[in-house]
Amino acid sequence: MHIDIITVLPELLESPLGHSILKRAQAKGLLEVVVHDLRPYGLGRHQQVDDYAFGGGAGMVMMVEPLANCLDELKAQRAYDEIIYMTPDGQRLTQGIANRLSLKNNLLILAGHYKGIDERIREHYITMELSIGDYVLSGGELPAAVLVDAIGRLIPGVLSDETSALFDSFQDNLLAPPVYTRPAEYRGWKVPDILLSGNTPAIEDWRNEQALARTRERRPDLLEDDE
Ligand code: ADE
């Protein structure tokens, strides 16, 4: 999979993309992420990328021209399955959306800044708008990193034990069951006997029950969700 990200703050994306699973995915050639600095597409001597909002109001707006030029250049190089704008007023990112996006070949993610981007870019280029939650961050870079992480780990071959992503919380609309590792007893705190029993079908049943109980208690909304 190839992912392009447009941003005015490329540095903010370096660390999240350069470590752990995303680093491994890129090293294995399963994922290619290219971060594009919008600044060189800025206008004039100061390479301006933002301006005051028409009609007044606080905050700057990312200008249509630098964004359109950058998007045109990238679109001439490849056919994107989706051009995604990270924004608090977008559709809420879910595991289901991440699953679907992980099957695509080419994604372009636009990380907004300031008060947002000129609406004409949303009308003429953006095919999908995603929010990572009902709170406002100072830019779309961290949301873009969240999205790439959620997608990247689902690409076949990225996780060493491929099945592990299938048992994550939210797959099947269930939260994950509790997990334990050695020692089997610590300060008198014991690991449930069933997990030490070696009885695989019984362990599977226990995990399913725990996942359901945990979901009922913490996120009953997931059980009502038919998505
Ligand atoms: N940009 C700022 N806040 C955001 C959010 N919650 N989700 C996506 N993009 C954002």
Side-chain angles (χ1 to χ4, degrees):
M1 175 185 290
H2 181 96
I3 302 180
D4 287 305
I5 306 177
I6 301 175
T7 170
V8 287
L9 284 173
E11 306 82 11
L12 254 184
L13 284 159
E14 265 165 32
S15 179
L17 296 174
H19 291 96
S20 184
I21 286 166
L22 289 181
K23 181 181 179 183
R24 219 178 325 136
Q26 292 172 92
K28 282 187 184 172
L30 298 169
L31 173 67
E32 186 180 39
V33 186
V34 183
V35 178
H36 303 269
D37 187 357
L38 184 66
R39 188 60 65 179
Y41 298 87
L43 306 184
R45 203 157 46 90
H46 298 292
Q47 299 189 303
Q48 186 181 356
V49 293
D50 60 320
D51 208 339
Y52 294 99
F54 276 131
M60 306 294 273
V61 176
M62 287 173 73
M63 299 162 82
V64 64
E65 197 175 336
L67 282 171
N69 288 338
C70 181
L71 285 159
D72 285 344
E73 204 173 292
L74 293 176
K75 281 180 73 177
Q77 289 165 34
R78 68 184 77 236
Y80 291 101
D81 297 298
E82 298 285 359
I83 299 182
I84 303 166
Y85 174 45
M86 304 310 297
T87 175
D89 60 4
Q91 181 184 7
R92 185 97 56 88
L93 176 63
T94 60
Q95 190 63 47
I97 293 173
N99 290 347
R100 284 195 287 283
L101 289 174
S102 74
L103 303 173
K104 306 288 187 193
N105 294 319
N106 293 303
L107 299 176
L108 198 167
I109 303 173
L110 174 54
H113 240 264
Y114 317 111
K115 262 289 163 205
I117 63 173
D118 191 297
E119 188 69 17
R120 290 165 288 188
I121 293 292
R122 297 171 78 156
E123 285 166 9
H124 296 286
Y125 289 91
I126 301 297
T127 62
M128 189 175 203
E129 302 190 327
L130 291 178
S131 161
I132 63 161
D134 288 344
Y135 41 83
V136 178
L137 299 168
S138 44
E141 285 74 17
L142 298 179
V146 166
L147 179 62
V148 173
D149 190 294
I151 294 171
R153 59 193 297 286
L154 295 172
I155 298 170
V158 167
L159 293 184
S160 44
D161 179 1
E162 256 191 60
T163 55
S164 66
L166 295 175
F167 297 110
D168 286 342
S169 282
F170 302 112
Q171 298 289 4
D172 301 328
N173 273 358
L174 287 179
L175 299 183
V179 291
Y180 300 85
T181 186
R182 290 188 292 178
E185 184 172 342
Y186 176 71
R187 296 190 191 168
W189 307 333
K190 289 189 176 151
V191 170
D193 286 338
I194 182 80
L195 295 176
L196 311 174
S197 69
N199 183 345
T200 314
I203 291 172
E204 205 43 42
D205 286 346
W206 181 86
R207 286 191 170 138
N208 288 335
E209 282 159 24
Q210 292 287 319
L212 196 58
R214 189 164 270 201
T215 309
R216 268 206 203 99
E217 185 189 316
R218 300 183 181 188
R219 294 291 306 277
D221 57 299
L222 291 176
L223 298 172
E224 289 146 26
D225 230 16
D226 279 332
E227 205 220 350

